[in-house]
């Protein structure tokens, strides 16, 4: 789509986080997963959005010299379908004990996009249960980079399963 072409996202396996880049999302753990997957040159971690933790996350990615991480500015709401369609996997991430009492609204948009979700969120939370019931992705404990790496590779290596998860969410 146009968003993918504008930002050089075509021809790569995109792991997308789109939304508030705040303190409660625990996105530094996503950077650790990106670092672990640095040898997989076709996997690109894309962060779209803005928030209180964006600048420190950008600085940390730069400090770690992560060439497989890209930051894109906040996009207008009307571009959200294109943003989500650029992903092969979309992430929902909250720090430990924050996801128990909330269901991020982005979860519904991701489900509608037809892309699988990896939910890095507390077990038995509403988001965890929704993703599990829908069979629309994988759920892993928050703040667990090795589990995130494993989930990304599992989905990436099973193209048919990836497509089925995406269909299950719609």
């Amino acid at each position: 789509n146009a968003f993918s072409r504008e930002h050089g996202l075509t021809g790569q396996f995109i792991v997308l986080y789109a939304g508030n880049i705040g303190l409660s999302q625990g996105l530094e753990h996503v950077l650790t997963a990106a670092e672990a997957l640095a040898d997989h040159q076709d996997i690109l971690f894309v962060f779209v959005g803005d928030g209180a933790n964006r600048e420190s996350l950008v600085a940390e990615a730069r400090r770690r010299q992560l060439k497989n991480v890209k930051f894109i500015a906040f996009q207008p709401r009307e571009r959200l379908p294109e943003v989500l369609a650029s992903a092969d996997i979309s992430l929902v991430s909250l720090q430990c004990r924050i996801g128990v009492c909330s269901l991020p609204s982005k979860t519904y948009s991701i489900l509608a996009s037809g892309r699988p979700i990896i939910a890095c969120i507390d077990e038995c939370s509403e988001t965890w249960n929704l993703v599990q019931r829908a069979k629309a992705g994988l759920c892993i404990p928050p703040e667990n980079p090795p589990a995130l790496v494993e989930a990304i590779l599992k989905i990436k290596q099973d193209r048919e399963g990836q497509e089925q998860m995406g269909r299950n969410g719609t």
Side-chain angles (χ1 to χ4, degrees):
N1 64 39
F3 179 82
S4 294
R5 287 188 301 276
E6 286 169 32
H7 296 283
L9 307 181
T10 57
Q12 295 177 298
F13 189 86
I14 303 299
V15 179
L16 175 73
Y17 176 84
N20 181 38
I21 302 175
L23 300 172
S24 63
Q25 282 70 36
L27 297 173
E28 59 280 353
H29 302 289
V30 177
L31 291 184
T32 302
E35 189 171 30
L37 289 168
D39 291 343
H40 294 259
Q41 295 179 356
D42 60 332
I43 299 176
L44 181 64
F45 289 77
V46 178
F47 295 85
V48 178
D50 202 3
N53 201 32
R54 186 180 196 276
E55 289 309 313
S56 66
L57 213 60
V58 169
E60 182 62 17
R62 192 175 301 125
R63 186 189 70 73
R64 295 186 194 193
Q65 300 179 352
L66 298 176
K67 297 185 184 337
N68 61 340
V69 173
K70 184 172 201 155
F71 290 90
I72 300 172
F74 174 83
Q75 298 295 302
R77 189 164 218 30
E78 57 269 8
R79 292 217 72 189
L80 184 60
E82 282 182 289
V83 171
L84 294 176
S86 70
D88 291 288
I89 297 171
S90 284
L91 301 177
V92 174
S93 179
L94 288 173
Q95 289 181 347
C96 287
R97 294 176 295 288
I98 292 179
V100 173
C101 300
S102 80
L103 196 156
S105 60
K106 73 174 76 228
T107 306
Y108 295 110
S109 300
I110 294 168
L111 289 170
S113 76
R115 300 300 189 266
I117 296 175
I118 295 178
C120 309
I121 199 150
D122 294 305
E123 189 172 355
C124 298
S125 65
E126 287 187 51
T127 306
W128 181 291
N129 292 331
L130 174 62
V131 172
Q132 291 288 356
R133 276 194 320 269
K135 296 184 174 129
L138 300 175
C139 298
I140 63 169
E143 303 176 23
N144 190 331
L148 180 56
V149 166
E150 185 179 330
I152 289 167
L153 293 176
K154 181 176 183 175
I155 291 173
K156 182 180 184 289
Q157 293 165 357
D158 182 5
R159 186 70 175 165
E160 187 176 309
Q162 178 186 350
E163 291 173 3
Q164 185 62 53
M165 286 178 191
R167 283 191 300 272
N168 290 347
T170 57

